Amino acid sequence: MHLPVEASGAVQARRIEGAARGLLRGIGLLTQALFKAGEFGLTRSQVALLDALEAGPLRVTGLATATGMAQPRVTVCLQKLEEAGLVERQRCAADRRAVETSLTSAGRDLLERGRRRMAAALLAALASGAESDGPVASVEESERAVATARDAIAVLLDAMESEAS
């Protein structure tokens, strides 16, 4: 027996809801744990700005879009990052009225050191978690687990971005 289209859609929605239950909380908790392990010495907002600037210089509006922060928040965070010598702001060559922000070498180094600490903590956590279930997870198994999670998040993000456009 086939369900009516409406009932079938409701069943599908409940299945996805069940699968997604706890996803936001889980991602949030993982983000907190990784951020803590990174020992950046900055706020999460400041690290998000450094991360967004890694690809190249951006204006405040571009940073606000990339991070989901309000422009005034971006401006305040950038001032603190500039005072710490982690970013620099310059007039845009294409539009002298605009200002672009870029990472300094100190900002890039801080981001890389934090990421290495995060990776080391994640590897240690995966290895210790494997001990309770049997042999210690190899680096290859840990890498596969992280890559699988990254790819799954990319699929969800792509779906959400295409839905928003």
Side-chain angles (χ1 to χ4, degrees):
M1 175 172 122
H2 292 292
L3 294 172
V5 174
E6 301 85 37
S8 175
V11 169
Q12 291 173 347
R14 281 195 303 277
R15 287 180 62 193
I16 294 298
E17 181 184 331
R21 190 171 304 280
L23 179 64
L24 188 59
R25 179 162 168 67
I27 289 171
L29 291 171
L30 178 59
T31 300
Q32 287 176 350
L34 289 171
F35 179 76
K36 183 178 177 184
E39 299 176 17
F40 292 97
L42 301 171
T43 66
R44 286 173 59 182
S45 295
Q46 291 168 331
V47 173
L49 290 172
L50 294 180
D51 185 62
L53 288 168
E54 187 174 34
L58 290 170
R59 297 179 186 184
V60 168
T61 53
L63 284 166
T65 300
T67 61
M69 286 186 249
Q71 288 185 23
R73 176 82 177 135
V74 170
T75 301
V76 169
C77 288
L78 287 178
Q79 288 169 344
K80 293 182 182 192
L81 291 170
E82 188 174 31
E83 289 167 8
L86 302 174
V87 301
E88 58 188 4
R89 294 192 267 187
Q90 298 175 328
R91 291 265 167 223
C92 178
D95 181 356
R96 301 297 297 162
R97 297 169 297 167
V99 175
E100 289 183 321
T101 304
S102 58
L103 282 177
T104 63
S105 58
R108 195 171 301 283
D109 290 346
L110 179 95
L111 199 53
E112 284 305 312
R113 284 191 314 271
R115 287 178 176 159
R116 280 194 299 271
R117 286 189 291 268
M118 289 167 55
L122 189 53
L123 179 59
L126 287 168
S128 70
E131 288 174 3
S132 61
D133 296 335
V136 174
S138 68
V139 171
E140 291 78 18
E141 291 169 324
S142 296
E143 180 182 27
R144 213 172 11 262
V146 172
T148 299
R150 181 202 58 222
D151 293 347
I153 290 170
V155 166
L156 296 174
L157 183 58
D158 286 348
M160 294 301 294
E161 286 175 346
S162 64
E163 180 71 21
S165 7

